[in-house]
Amino acid sequence: MDFNQAQMTALEHRNGPMMVLAGPGSGKTTVITHRIKRLLEAGVDPSGILVITFTKAAATEMKERFLRLAREEDEKRKQAEQGAKCAQRTGGSRTGAEKPFFGTADPGPRRREACGTSLEAAGSRVSFGTFHSVFYHILKWAYRFPAGNVISGEEKRQYFKKFLDESEMEVEDEAEFISSIINDVMAEGFEIAEYKLLPDTAANAMSSVAAADYTLTFRPGYEPEEESAEEWFKKLYDGYDEMLKTTGKIDFDDMLVMCHELFTERKDILAAWQKKFKYILVDEFQDINLLQYQVVRMLALPENNLFIVGDDDQSIYRFRGAKPEIMLGFEKNFPGTKRVLLGTNYRSTKEIVETSLRLIEHNKVRFEKKLEPFRGSGRPVDFRVFDNPGHEMDTVAQSIRAYHDAGYQWSEIAVLFRTGANSGLMAERLMGYNIPFKLRDVIPNLYSHWIAKDLFAYMEIAAGSRKRSDFYRIMNRPNRYFSRDAFDTPIVSFDRLKSFYQDRDWMEERICDLEADLRAMASLKPVAAVNYIRKAIGYDDYLRSYAEFRRMKPEELFETADKLAESAAEFATFVEWKEHAARYEEELKKQNQEEREETKDRVTLSTMHSAKGLEYPVVFVVDANEGIVPHHKAGLPADIEEERRLFYVALTRAKDRLHVAAVKERYHRKTDVSRFVEEAGL
C-alpha cells in the first residue's frame, strides 16, 4: 500500500509523544493499524501495546481491521517463503520483495517469543479497548472485582424508569430519555466534581439534556416541589448513588474516578501498569474528557510513548466533558511532541471539501490546517430552501427514490438531522414512499406524547366514544372544574353528568358547552378539529398556563401541537389519521428490533452526532435553519463553535453528492436560514 509523506512520518515514529491531526477521510484508521504493524515488526512485545477507542464497536472494528491486515501480511510472507524455497532449489536468489518475516532473516529469540509464528498471532495479544474496559480491567486486577458487582445496563434503566415514574416526569420518549441520562449525564456525574477534574459538572449535565432537546416537564395533575433542573438532576444522581451503595454495585462511570484515585494513591500499582503498557495509541482523541486524559497521562509515564490521533474540528461532545482545548494543549503537556497533519481527504469530492473548509475556518479555537482533496471535482453542493418542512421532506424522499432508480443502493444514502426529534417527519415520508430505512437514533414517537393523547381523546369523544378514560384525559384541559367522582361509570353519559351537577347551574352550562364543542368537531377534518380544540375550546391557553406553572417555555409545547396539526393536515378523516399513527408506532417498534441488522439495504436516518465516523456516497443535511443548527440553546461563543463543528461533521460525511436543505417557515412562522449556510458559501 502506498502512503503519503505525512502518513509515513506517523508510521515511522518510534518513541516519544506524537499527535496526528487527521482531517475527515484522511485515512486515520489505516495509519493506526499500520502503526501497530510497524511496532510489532520492530520487535515490540504485543502485550505492551494498548489501543484505546471510545466505543466497544470502534474497538472491535479497529481490532478486526488490524487482524485482516495481519492475515494479508502473513499470506504475503508465506508466498515469499515459498518463492524463496523454489529459488533455492533452482539456484536462484532472493529478491527484495521476498523479505523474511519482520524484515530480518532471524528476528532473534526475544522477537520470536513476542511475535509468535505470525503477525496475526502477535496482533491477537495487542490490547484493544474502550476507556471503560481498560479502567475496569485495572480495577478488577487491583481490587479483585467480581463481574456481578458491576451494575448492568438493564439495572440502570430499571432504576431511572422507577425514578421517572415516582417523580411523575413527562417526557416525549421515555426510552430515549433514560438512554440520554445513562450515556450523557451519568458519564460525567456529580460525584466527579468532588475530584475537581471536571468543572461545571451540573452545566455539563444540563447541556446534555439540551443536546437531546429535552425539557423537564411533569404529568398533568401532578404538582412537584419547586426545583430547578439542576436540582432535579442532583436528586436523581444522589438517589442513584445511594442505590449503588445499598446494593453493593459499582458503576462503570465511577471506575474512571476510582482508577484516577488508585493511581494517585498507589504508585506501585501505577508503576506496574506503566511497565506493562509501553506504547499507548488513542483514537478519536478530540473526544477525550479531562478525567480520561489525566489517567492516560499518568499511564504513559515515564517514556511518554503516547500516539494520539484526532481532529479538533470534530470535537462535538462538550456535554460529555470533551473540549478541543484538551487536544490544543497536548503539546504543552508533552514537550517534544512531534505533530503531523494528515491533510489529504480521500473521501469527498473537491466541492464538498472546499465547502466544509469555508465553514470550519470561522472557528477561532482550533489548529490551523490546510486540507487538500485527493479526488477531483464532482457535482456542486446543492442547497435549496423549501416553503415548509412537508415540502422539504417530500422532495428529499423523491430525490432518494431517484438516486435508487439511478443505481444507488438504499444503504449508500443518509439523511442527517440536528436532533432525533426532527427526524420523525422524514420517517413518515419514507414510509409513505415505501422506502426502507434504518434509524441510528431512537426517534421520539410524536403520537405517544401526552398532548397527542389529549387531542386524540377529544376526537374520539367527538366521534362517539364515551369511555371514561377518554373523559379523564380532557375533562379539565382546559379547566372546567369537573370532579373525577362525576365520572363514576365505565361508560360516560352526559345526562348522568348533568344529574351529578343538577344543583349547580354554572356547571351544567359547562357540560352543555362541551357537548356543543364536540358536536361541532364531529364534522371537521382532522387538522380543523385540532385547530378548533386549540383555539375555540382553549387548549392552547391550557398549555400556556401549564408551561408557566412548570417554569418552561410554552413554545416548546406549542411546537408539539404544531407538529400534530401538520401531521393531521395529511388526512381526510380522523380514522385515517389514527390508523397512520398506529402504523407509525409499529414501524418504530420494528426499527428498534432491527437496529442491529446492518446488512439490510436501507436508507440511514441519523443525528449529526451519531453520523460521526461514518461516510455515505449521498448525504442530505436537512433543517439547516437558525434555532435548529445552531441550536436555540447554544448561546455562548463556545456553544456556537461546537454547533459549527457539528455541522462540519455532517457535511464531511458525504463522498459524492451533498444536499443541504432549509425551510422558509415552520408551523406558519417565518424562520431564518442557518448562518452556517452562508459561512460555507452556499
Side-chain angles (χ1 to χ4, degrees), residues 154-167:
E154 181 57 30
E155 288 174 313
K156 276 189 181 182
R157 282 187 287 274
Q158 288 301 320
Y159 167 77
F160 289 119
K161 186 178 187 311
K162 183 173 179 288
F163 185 92
L164 288 179
D165 291 339
E166 292 177 350
S167 63

Side-chain angles (χ1 to χ4, degrees), residues 93-363:
S93 61
R94 300 176 70 90
T95 67
E98 298 166 340
K99 294 180 180 178
F101 188 43
F102 286 167
T104 63
D106 185 354
R110 180 168 172 245
R111 292 177 67 179
R112 284 198 300 270
E113 183 182 354
C115 301
T117 59
S118 70
L119 189 62
E120 183 178 6
S124 65
R125 296 175 58 203
V126 174
S127 296
F128 295 83
T130 65
F131 279 99
H132 280 120
S133 65
V134 171
F135 291 178
Y136 170 63
H137 187 71
I138 292 170
L139 291 169
K140 184 179 179 181
W141 179 85
Y143 297 126
R144 302 295 189 265
F145 285 150
N149 275 27
V150 180
I151 189 168
S152 68
E154 181 57 30
E155 288 174 313
K156 276 189 181 182
R157 282 187 287 274
Q158 288 301 320
Y159 167 77
F160 289 119
K161 186 178 187 311
K162 183 173 179 288
F163 185 92
L164 288 179
D165 291 339
E166 292 177 350
S167 63
E168 297 290 330
M169 187 78 169
E170 177 69 45
V171 296
E172 195 166 310
D173 188 283
E174 186 176 84
E176 186 180 5
F177 186 73
I178 291 173
S179 295
S180 176
I181 293 173
I182 293 174
N183 295 331
D184 302 335
V185 179
M186 297 306 298
E188 323 299 347
F190 290 92
E191 190 177 61
I192 295 175
E194 298 174 11
Y195 292 81
K196 303 188 184 302
L197 294 173
L198 286 174
D200 304 322
T201 308
N204 289 336
M206 290 311 302
S207 62
S208 168
V209 178
D213 205 22
Y214 288 123
T215 301
L216 291 178
T217 62
F218 297 87
R219 296 188 181 101
Y222 178 75
E223 298 186 4
E225 298 177 3
E226 291 291 322
E227 59 187 358
S228 66
E230 291 86 351
E231 291 170 337
W232 189 90
F233 274 98
K234 181 68 163 64
K235 184 186 294 185
L236 179 147
Y237 187 83
D238 286 345
Y240 177 74
D241 193 48
E242 183 61 32
M243 182 271 290
L244 291 177
K245 293 176 181 176
T246 303
T247 59
K249 296 286 186 177
I250 303 165
D251 192 298
F252 258 120
D253 301 309
D254 290 337
M255 293 180 188
L256 305 179
V257 174
M258 294 171 67
C259 196
H260 181 272
E261 190 176 61
L262 174 68
F263 282 171
T264 301
E265 297 177 356
R266 293 291 303 275
K267 300 300 183 184
D268 57 327
I269 293 177
L270 172 60
W273 287 100
Q274 289 172 335
K275 185 178 179 180
K276 174 176 176 55
F277 294 127
K278 293 294 187 180
Y279 291 87
I280 302 174
L281 296 82
V282 183
D283 189 23
E284 302 288 0
F285 188 81
Q286 76 280 346
D287 295 337
I288 201 167
N289 66 39
L290 188 54
L291 179 59
Q292 294 164 336
Y293 185 43
Q294 295 279 22
V295 176
V296 168
R297 287 181 66 183
M298 288 190 283
L299 198 58
L301 291 170
E303 286 90 351
N304 287 332
N305 291 327
L306 185 56
F307 186 91
I308 70 167
V309 183
D311 182 9
D312 57 298
D313 287 334
Q314 298 186 67
S315 179
I316 57 174
Y317 296 114
R318 274 183 77 240
F319 58 90
R320 297 181 185 173
K323 299 179 181 179
E325 289 84 354
I326 296 176
M327 192 167 187
L328 292 169
F330 184 84
E331 291 167 297
K332 181 179 179 181
N333 293 325
F334 290 90
T337 295
K338 192 167 184 177
R339 186 207 303 181
V340 64
L341 169 65
L342 304 184
T344 302
N345 183 308
Y346 296 95
R347 174 187 299 159
S348 307
T349 63
K350 179 181 177 183
E351 288 78 6
I352 295 171
V353 173
E354 291 178 347
T355 297
S356 60
L357 285 178
R358 284 194 294 268
L359 169 75
I360 201 61
E361 286 172 354
H362 284 79
N363 270 7

